[in-house]
Amino acid sequence: AGAAGARRRARATVIQIPAKGSGAMLYVIIGHDGPNGAALRPKVRPAHLENIRPLVERGQVFVGGPFTDGSGSLMVIDFPDEAAARAFAMSDPYVKEGVFERVEIKPFRKVVP
């Protein structure tokens, strides 16, 4: 019971980690750079960061940044639903100005920190 009980408690602890944001649902947003993404990114970055700032200030953004291979970027953000995640992604300056040519949005379950 000792070791088995400890394992059960450890699993329960991992599964029950609360999200920092609204607690709605985490979404992974993957932006795939277009052919001019690298050239456009520095010009569009200030508008992109300003767009995401309110979500950062509310604690909804868990991680975000570019892939080191130059293929695009990843963000993990807490949204109430997939429609809100999609609306945010499609309104982001990186999408509107052509840095990203394609965006993927996937629901994500955080299991470990």
Side-chain angles (χ1 to χ4, degrees), residues 101-112:
E101 71 176 348
R102 183 169 60 91
V103 175
E104 291 180 70
I105 300 168
K106 297 181 180 242
F108 178 77
R109 180 175 299 120
K110 179 181 175 185
V111 176
V112 295

Side-chain angles (χ1 to χ4, degrees), residues 62-88:
F62 285 76
V63 67
F67 295 119
T68 59
D69 67 359
S71 64
S73 299
L74 176 139
M75 295 179 277
V76 179
I77 305 176
D78 189 1
F79 285 107
D81 54 41
E82 189 168 345
R86 186 164 304 285
F88 168 79

